[in-house]
């Protein structure tokens, strides 16, 4: 029998990769993740992704979408916009209508393809803010597919997220970490899509299959963290924490003592939605939804392997 193991505390969508997220009360699920999540990306003159790892000031770019954009059946009209703000910059409005022009040779990690180009005005705005030639591109699911790593999630796809469509973290994990830190960090350092409360620290490591509302999610891999958690999302300034402390109890050296350490640290569980291809309607989760664990692993070592 499935038992309730927590509740959805917050839902976050990140329309532009590596920019600030939006906290929403509910979000429609698509085969590539939450609707609008990482549908856009900033690229350099060579079409390569630009992220906070290289440009921490992306943390200060705020995104606003129409509130109705998170309704399952909503479609943009000619006057629907994504509004983008950043310190010292005029407000930028980007139409949610499909752009006409394509950019070739866009790349994110080992994926290369083409993407929709959001035009000269957005490019000039971003180039001015970042201080180097940049463009805003939009994933085009009509012409492109970006498959997830088949070793962990065969047959699934995503847009411009790093690896997989969803990332889940528990409040218990954040609380446990913050007890070890001199200065607590907020959840935005870890950029989850789903924050769950009511479960113990790092219990999400073991969640192999969970159910939220009508949707079944499969845990495919623990999230190996880069330097982004060390970047203060309010200031864009990097430090050493929380990664320094996480290395003491969430590193592969600690969690996988029988394997040669690679210097990885793990926080959060990557997910795919098992039934996102088979049901067209009703794939929505909302804050307050109970989380039921259908299947779980026996140890964190098994999850991290």
């Amino acid at each position: 029998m499935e038992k309730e193991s927590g509740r959805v505390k917050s839902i976050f969508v990140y329309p532009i990769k590596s920019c600030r997220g939006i906290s929403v009360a509910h979000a429609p699920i698509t085969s590539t993740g939450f609707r609008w999540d990482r549908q856009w990306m900033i690229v350099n003159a060579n079409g390569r992704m630009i992220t906070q790892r290289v440009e921490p000031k992306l943390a200060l770019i705020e995104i606003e979408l129409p509130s109705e954009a998170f309704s399952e059946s909503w479609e943009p009209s000619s006057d629907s916009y994504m509004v983008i703000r950043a310190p010292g910059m005029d407000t930028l409005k980007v139409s949610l209508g499909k752009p006409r022009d394509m950019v070739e040779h866009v790349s994110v990690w080992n994926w290369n393809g083409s993407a929709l180009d959001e035009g000269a005005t957005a490019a000039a705005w971003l180039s001015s803010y970042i201080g180097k030639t940049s463009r805003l591109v939009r994933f085009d699911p009509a012409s492109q597919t970006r498959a997830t790593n088949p070793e962990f999630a065969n047959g699934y796809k995503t847009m411009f997220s790093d690896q997989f469509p969803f990332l889940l973290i528990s409040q218990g994990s954040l609380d446990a970490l913050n007890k070890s830190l001199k200065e607590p960090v907020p959840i935005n350092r870890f950029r989850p899509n789903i924050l769950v409360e009511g479960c113990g620290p790092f219990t999400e490591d073991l969640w192999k299959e969970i159910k939220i509302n009508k949707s079944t999610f499969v845990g495919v891999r623990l999230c190996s963290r880069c330097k982004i958690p060390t970047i203060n999302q309010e200031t864009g300034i990097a430090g050493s924490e929380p990664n320094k402390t996480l290395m003491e109890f969430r590193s592969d050296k600690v969690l996988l003592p029988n394997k040669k350490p690679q210097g990885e640290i793990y926080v959060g569980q990557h997910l795919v939605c098992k039934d996102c291809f088979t049901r067209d309607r009703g794939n929505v989760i909302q804050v307050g939804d109970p989380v039921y664990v259908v299947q779980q692993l026996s140890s964190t070592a098994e999850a991290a392997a």
Side-chain angles (χ1 to χ4, degrees):
M1 180 68 186
E2 299 162 7
K3 68 179 195 299
E4 185 179 322
S5 296
R7 285 187 175 263
V8 176
K9 181 181 182 183
S10 304
I11 298 168
F12 302 99
V13 176
Y14 306 86
I16 304 178
K17 183 178 181 66
S18 238
C19 296
R20 203 165 278 187
I22 301 172
S23 178
V24 295
H26 54 85
I29 295 163
T30 76
S31 59
T32 56
F34 285 136
R35 189 177 188 188
W36 309 113
D37 192 58
R38 276 89 167 197
Q39 190 161 356
W40 288 267
M41 178 171 68
I42 303 165
V43 297
N44 65 17
N46 299 317
R48 186 77 181 152
M49 66 174 179
I50 299 176
T51 73
Q52 286 186 37
R53 296 171 188 88
V54 176
E55 298 292 345
K57 68 195 302 190
L58 294 190
L60 308 183
I61 297 181
E62 291 183 41
I63 316 298
E64 184 185 327
L65 287 175
S67 56
E68 61 271 22
F70 295 97
S71 300
E72 196 178 15
S73 57
W74 184 80
E75 290 301 328
S77 66
S78 57
D79 58 352
S80 302
Y81 292 92
M82 174 167 63
V83 179
I84 305 173
R85 298 181 179 90
M89 301 292 293
D90 291 336
T91 299
L92 174 67
K93 291 174 79 174
V94 175
S95 172
L96 290 178
K98 187 175 173 180
R100 288 192 301 272
D101 296 330
M102 298 288 285
V103 186
E104 303 298 327
H105 310 301
V106 165
S107 60
V108 47
W109 299 116
N110 60 356
W111 180 86
N112 287 274
S114 55
L116 297 161
D117 181 13
E118 291 292 5
T121 303
W125 191 96
L126 287 165
S127 300
S128 173
Y129 178 68
I130 295 170
K132 61 177 77 164
T133 301
S134 311
R135 294 196 84 78
L136 184 64
V137 299
R138 182 175 181 176
F139 197 88
D140 182 26
S143 68
Q144 305 293 305
T145 300
R146 183 167 168 244
T148 55
N149 185 334
E151 185 185 343
F152 299 98
N154 191 25
Y156 291 91
K157 56 189 181 176
T158 187
M159 288 203 261
F160 290 138
S161 64
D162 269 359
Q163 298 186 72
F164 300 99
F166 302 94
L167 175 62
L168 179 147
I169 296 175
S170 74
Q171 183 68 42
S173 301
L174 181 67
D175 292 346
L177 167 63
N178 280 335
K179 281 178 186 163
S180 305
L181 294 173
K182 288 195 182 87
E183 293 181 29
V185 295
I187 194 61
N188 63 13
R189 294 286 191 101
F190 295 98
R191 302 174 67 79
N193 295 110
I194 304 168
L195 180 65
V196 174
E197 63 183 349
C199 56
F202 305 105
T203 52
E204 69 271 24
D205 289 358
L206 307 180
W207 292 353
K208 188 61 188 167
E209 191 171 301
I210 62 171
K211 193 165 185 184
I212 306 175
N213 199 349
K214 296 174 183 172
S215 298
T216 302
F217 295 88
V218 177
V220 293
R221 194 180 191 187
L222 294 192
C223 182
S224 169
R225 309 311 305 214
C226 62
K227 68 177 274 189
I228 288 179
T230 69
I231 299 168
N232 184 319
Q233 298 294 298
E234 311 307 319
T235 64
I237 297 168
S240 61
E241 293 289 11
N243 290 17
K244 184 179 170 188
T245 295
L246 285 166
M247 193 61 80
E248 295 168 12
F249 71 107
R250 292 295 297 178
S251 68
D252 53 358
K253 186 176 180 180
V254 174
L255 299 179
L256 295 167
N258 300 323
K259 290 184 84 171
K260 184 180 177 184
Q262 307 288 321
E264 305 280 10
I265 51 175
Y266 300 101
V267 179
Q269 175 81 264
H270 288 296
L271 306 172
V272 293
C273 182
K274 193 163 141 182
D275 40 23
C276 61
F277 297 105
T278 54
R279 201 175 59 243
D280 291 336
R281 308 288 302 154
N283 287 2
V284 177
I285 72 167
Q286 55 189 5
V287 170
D289 278 345
V291 177
Y292 297 100
V293 175
V294 181
Q295 184 186 348
Q296 63 180 23
L297 302 173
S298 57
S299 70
T300 296
E302 191 183 351

